[in-house]
Amino acid sequence: EDKVVQSPLSLVVHEGDTVTLNCSYEVTNFRSLLWYKQEKKAPTFLFMLTSSGIEKKSGRLSSILDKKELFSILNITATQTGDSAVYLCAVETNAGKSTFGDGTTLTVKP
Amino acid sequence: NAGVTQTPKFQVLKTGQSMTLQCAQDMNHNSMYWYRQDPGMGLRLIYYSASEGTTDKGEVPNGYNVSRLNKREFSLRLESAAPSQTSVYFCASNRAFNSPLHFGNGTRLTVT
């Protein structure tokens, strides 16, 4: 059975802090790992990672994949209150199905 | 520029009632999906459709049926609702496997 585990489950920080969110996985026929941000409603796409060691970056957010150790991290630097959300990690297999982790709830206090 | 549209946004059912959740996308995507999200949990796949005319079971298909009506529309039916089906339901689509999912805004379903 495919499994995706995110840690921590929740995190409270203050504006300006840097956070690291973790995602580990055990799946058959890994294809890609995706990060999504979920505020009130629908998850929105952040990054897709397919190769080890190549950092994807968008503004203050960055992510990297380690296919040998089967994990990914999502870093957010200089956090802002607008970063408060649930961050979801999903792993897609060659069968085309995505398995999601339970998410990390990030709260950024002013 | 609607993306993925789900209806209704909210629904309350009594145990044993049936209903259909509607989903339509205007991005010409091939694949469509139905997920449910329970409090404090991630998304679990109910059914998906890799292309028009095909549907497959996901992780939690029991109690649900789906129809891929055409390339744009993918509906989810609960034939006899149960309290365990109380959840938020998300429809999603993507161009093909290995591309990001685009989600609708969800349907909050309560079964009493």
Side-chain angles (χ1 to χ4, degrees), chain B residues 12-18 80-85 110-112:
Chain B
V12 179
L13 292 177
K14 294 191 172 164
T15 298
Q17 287 185 317
S18 62
S80 179
S84 61
Q85 294 178 305
T110 302
V111 183
T112 61

Side-chain angles (χ1 to χ4, degrees), chain B residues 37-106:
Chain B
Q37 186 174 35
D38 299 312
M41 296 180 72
L43 296 152
R44 290 185 293 169
L45 183 64
I46 305 171
Y47 270 93
Y48 69 105
S49 170
S51 61
E52 187 179 353
T54 68
T55 60
D56 282 290
K57 293 178 180 179
E59 195 183 340
V60 289
N62 291 344
Y64 306 95
N65 283 303
V66 290
S67 296
R68 183 76 183 266
L69 304 167
N70 47 56
K71 191 170 185 180
R72 289 187 64 244
E73 297 172 287
F74 189 39
S75 62
L76 177 72
R77 182 156 179 87
L78 287 71
E79 289 293 350
S80 179
S84 61
Q85 294 178 305
T86 293
S87 190
V88 179
Y89 290 84
F90 287 99
C91 177
S93 69
N94 60 4
R95 180 174 44 82
F97 292 159
N98 204 34
S99 60
L101 293 167
H102 295 256
F103 287 88
N105 281 330

Side-chain angles (χ1 to χ4, degrees), chain B residues 15-32:
Chain B
T15 298
Q17 287 185 317
S18 62
M19 79 160 295
T20 300
L21 280 64
Q22 307 286 355
C23 175
Q25 52 89 10
D26 62 3
M27 295 172 283
N28 202 34
H29 284 170
N30 291 311
S31 303
M32 297 184 74

Side-chain angles (χ1 to χ4, degrees), chain A residues 3 7 9 17 22-23 26-29 37 41 44 47 50 54-55 59 62 65 71-72 91 93 96 110:
Chain A
K3 195 173 170 185
S7 63
L9 289 180
D17 288 348
N22 304 292
C23 176
E26 291 177 33
V27 302
T28 305
N29 296 320
K37 178 182 182 183
K41 294 183 178 177
T44 54
F47 297 113
T50 55
I54 298 174
E55 186 184 52
S62 63
L65 174 67
F71 77 91
S72 173
V91 174
T93 66

Side-chain angles (χ1 to χ4, degrees), chain A residues 12-17 79-82 84 107-110:
Chain A
V12 180
V13 300
H14 287 94
E15 272 192 318
D17 288 348
T79 51
Q80 302 171 356
T81 54
S84 295
T107 303
V108 181
K109 293 190 169 182

Side-chain angles (χ1 to χ4, degrees), chain A residues 55-67:
Chain A
E55 186 184 52
K56 292 277 182 99
K57 198 167 168 66
S58 175
R60 296 175 293 103
L61 278 68
S62 63
S63 184
I64 197 159
L65 174 67
D66 185 327
K67 288 169 75 174

